[in-house]
Amino acid sequence: MASRKRCPTGENGEQSGSQADSKHLRADGKRHVAALVLARGGSKGIPLKNIKKLAGVPLLGWVLRAAVDSDIFDSVWVSTDHDEIEQVAKSWGAKVQRRSLEVSKDSSSSLETIQEFMRLNPEIDVVCHIQATSPCLHPFHLTEALKMITQQGFDSVFSVVRRHQFRWQEVKKGSGEVTKAFNLDPARRPRRQDWDGELCENGSFYIYLKEAMVNTALVQGGKVAYYEMLPEFSVDIDVDIDWPVAEQRVLRYGYFGRTTPEVAHLMFCNVSGCLTGGRIFLSKSGEEMVSINTRDTTGIRMLQKEAMEVVLLTSQLDSVTQSLADKLAERTGCQVISVGEEPLNDLRPMVEQRKLGWKDVAYMGSDTQDISCLNLAGLSAVPGDAPVVVINAAKYTCHSAGGMGAVREFAEHILLQKEKAKSQMEQRIDRKNF
C-alpha cells in the first residue's frame, strides 16, 4: 500500500478539493512542472552529505532517480553552490542552477533559495521541492501528490507521516514548572490501535503553484493539502548516527530504478591481478609463493555463505604451480582451474553445464584476455589499477587495486545487487496485493 487516506484541508482547516478551482487543472497540458532539489555544499552535520554514498548511490542520486523516472516533470533541477555536487547532479540527469552567494550562507533559508530559482526560471509554473535527505522517495509518491494540484485544484501539497507519539511540555531546569501533556489525557491513555496518531511533516517534498507561492511568500499557501506517506518510506538524514539506519531502510524500501538489478549465481575470478595483484614471490630455493589479502578471502566467504559458487582462474600465460593452486583451493574453498589465452572458450561449457546464462555470471578480470568475459557477464569488475582498455569493458571498477581488497569490494557490490533485486520484488508484491 503506497499511502493511506489523504485528507486535504483549506486555508481555515476545512476539507476541500471536491470543489477545486478549475483554473488550476492542467487540462491544456501547458504548465511547466519542475522538480527542484536544494543541495548546498556546506552541511554542518555531515560534510558533503548530499553526495555521500548511501547503499552504493550518492544520497542525491536516490531522489533524482525517483524524480526522473516519474516522467511527470518537464525539468529536474538541483540548486547548488558546489562543483562536486554539480557533477553528481548532472550524472543523474538533472540540470543545475548555481545559486548566488546571497542564498548560500549558513543563515540562508530554503524559501530564499527557491524564490531566487523561480526568478531566474520564469517559465516554470509548478515547483516540486524535493529534499535530498529523503532516499526512500518513489516515483508514485510524486505522481499521486502532483495530481492533487493538477486534477483536484489545490495550490500546495506537502508530504506527511503519521506518528503515534505522546508529546509533553519541556521544563527548563530551575524554573519550578511542572510538565504538562500536549496531546493526551494521562488519566485516559489510549492504546495505539485506538488512536489515529498525529500527522507530522516529514520534509520529503513540497509541491506548489508559482502564483500561490509568490502571492503568499509561503510554500504552503492558498488551498493546502497533505499527502500521507507510510512510515517505511519516511526517512530523514541529519547526523552521522542516522546513516546506518537509513542504509538498512533504503535497501528494503528504496527505489532502485525501472530495471531489476542483475543477480549472479556463479562467479569467476582471476587469481593473477585480482586476488594476488599479479605478484609471484620466488624464494632462494626457487619455491613460488603468492600473497593473498585476508579482506579478499573474507569477501569470497561472504559470497559462499549466500550459496554462490566461486571459481578461481589461473592462466596458462601466467601460471602458478599445481601446489599453489591446491593451497588456494584449500584456503578459499573454491575450485581452481587453468584457462587458456581466451578464457571464454574454457568457461562457456561450465556455464552451460550449470544451466545458466552469462547474465547469471559475475566475472572479475584484470587484463586484455578477460575482455570478452567482462563484456558478456551480467556483473563484471576490474581492480582500480587495471589497464584502461579493460576498465572500459567492465561494468564496475573497484576503488582498490588488485590484491589490495578489490575482490572484497566486488563481492560487496554483488551482494548489494542481490539485496536490491530482493527489495524490488517485495515492493512489487506489496503494491499488487495492497
Side-chain angles (χ1 to χ4, degrees):
M1 184 168 63
S3 60
R4 299 181 183 174
K5 61 182 180 180
R6 292 175 290 282
C7 303
T9 60
E11 294 174 283
N12 299 317
E14 73 276 6
Q15 286 196 351
S16 61
S18 59
Q19 299 178 2
D21 189 337
S22 61
K23 70 178 181 180
H24 293 160
L25 296 178
R26 193 179 174 179
D28 58 6
K30 292 182 180 179
R31 287 188 184 274
H32 185 116
V33 182
L36 173 64
V37 183
L38 307 184
R40 194 168 65 91
S43 172
K44 294 295 184 183
I46 306 174
L48 285 180
K49 171 178 64 178
N50 292 311
I51 56 174
K52 182 179 177 180
K53 292 287 185 70
L54 179 72
V57 174
L59 181 60
L60 184 61
W62 288 102
V63 295
L64 288 179
R65 178 161 53 193
V68 171
D69 284 1
S70 70
D71 291 328
I72 60 174
F73 298 113
D74 298 298
S75 58
V76 177
W77 295 81
V78 170
S79 172
T80 187
D81 59 347
H82 198 278
D83 292 341
E84 289 184 58
I85 294 176
E86 177 177 354
Q87 293 174 4
V88 171
K90 289 180 177 178
S91 71
W92 285 89
K95 298 180 179 181
V96 172
Q97 175 74 59
R98 289 300 292 235
R99 60 176 67 178
S100 67
L101 293 177
E102 287 73 16
V103 296
S104 299
K105 305 171 185 175
D106 291 339
S107 59
S108 300
S109 68
S110 296
L111 180 59
E112 292 173 328
T113 308
I114 294 166
Q115 288 173 328
E116 178 186 75
F117 170 79
M118 296 181 74
R119 284 196 305 270
L120 295 173
N121 298 277
E123 75 282 3
I124 293 173
D125 302 298
V126 182
V127 174
C128 178
H129 169 208
I130 302 171
Q131 298 271 33
T133 52
S134 301
C136 286
L137 181 69
H138 282 243
F140 71 81
H141 293 135
L142 300 170
T143 301
E144 292 177 359
L146 181 62
K147 286 179 180 178
M148 298 175 72
I149 287 181
T150 60
Q151 295 182 16
Q152 298 179 35
F154 292 99
D155 297 314
S156 56
V157 176
F158 62 98
S159 58
V160 300
V161 65
R162 191 174 297 273
R163 302 292 189 197
H164 290 77
Q165 296 173 327
F166 296 132
R167 296 181 293 109
W168 291 77
Q169 179 182 347
E170 181 181 1
V171 174
K172 301 296 183 182
K173 289 184 178 180
S175 67
E177 297 178 358
V178 178
T179 188
K180 297 178 182 178
F182 277 137
N183 62 346
L184 83 152
D185 178 357
R188 299 179 180 179
R189 293 177 64 91
R191 299 181 304 167
R192 180 185 177 91
Q193 59 267 38
D194 296 331
W195 181 43
D196 288 338
E198 295 180 327
L199 296 177
C200 305
E201 285 187 39
N202 68 354
S204 187
F205 60 82
Y206 302 81
I207 310 178
Y208 39 85
L209 293 170
K210 178 175 68 174
E211 55 261 38
M213 200 272 272
V214 170
N215 292 336
T216 64
L218 299 170
V219 296
Q220 294 156 306
K223 293 182 179 180
V224 185
Y226 61 77
Y227 176 87
E228 184 180 351
M229 295 173 65
L230 292 177
E232 51 263 38
F233 298 111
S234 185
V235 180
D236 195 18
I237 303 173
D238 287 320
V239 293
D240 274 326
I241 196 172
D242 297 331
W243 210 265
V245 176
E247 192 154 57
Q248 290 303 311
R249 184 76 69 85
V250 80
L251 286 173
R252 175 66 178 84
Y253 298 109
Y255 173 68
F256 297 105
R258 291 168 171 159
T259 59
T260 302
E262 298 289 352
V263 176
H265 301 281
L266 170 67
M267 177 181 176
F268 295 118
C269 177
N270 263 317
V271 172
S272 180
C274 296
L275 194 61
T276 68
R279 295 180 294 274
I280 297 179
F281 302 95
L282 298 175
S283 69
K284 186 176 181 180
S285 61
E287 183 181 7
E288 292 184 354
M289 295 177 289
V290 295
S291 173
I292 301 175
N293 195 307
T294 56
R295 285 181 293 171
D296 291 329
T297 55
T298 299
I300 291 173
R301 284 194 291 272
M302 289 165 60
L303 296 175
Q304 292 169 331
K305 188 176 180 180
E306 294 296 317
M308 184 172 176
E309 182 182 4
V310 181
V311 178
L312 300 180
L313 310 178
T314 63
S315 173
Q316 295 173 4
L317 302 176
D318 186 17
S319 62
V320 300
T321 63
Q322 185 60 48
S323 61
L324 277 178
D326 293 340
K327 288 186 179 298
L328 280 172
E330 179 183 353
R331 179 80 179 183
T332 62
C334 300
Q335 180 183 2
V336 182
I337 65 171
S338 177
V339 295
E341 294 185 17
E342 180 53 77
L344 181 60
N345 296 333
D346 299 291
L347 301 182
R348 184 182 282 117
M350 295 184 65
V351 174
E352 294 173 353
Q353 183 182 13
R354 289 160 175 75
K355 298 185 179 350
L356 298 174
W358 275 91
K359 67 179 179 59
D360 306 308
V361 172
Y363 188 93
M364 188 168 192
S366 63
D367 219 325
T368 53
Q369 68 268 18
D370 300 308
I371 288 177
S372 296
C373 292
L374 291 170
N375 281 324
L376 277 177
L379 292 171
S380 60
V382 294
D385 58 346
V388 174
V389 65
V390 186
I391 288 176
N392 291 338
K395 297 177 177 66
Y396 182 85
T397 303
C398 299
H399 296 288
S400 304
M404 300 296 290
V407 175
R408 166 66 179 266
E409 186 178 337
F410 186 38
E412 291 177 343
H413 177 72
I414 292 170
L415 295 176
L416 178 60
Q417 302 310 302
K418 184 176 181 180
E419 285 292 325
K420 289 180 179 179
K422 179 182 176 182
S423 177
Q424 279 197 4
M425 181 59 67
E426 290 172 345
Q427 287 167 11
R428 291 193 185 101
I429 293 173
D430 290 345
R431 291 284 287 161
K432 183 178 179 179
N433 295 336
F434 297 96

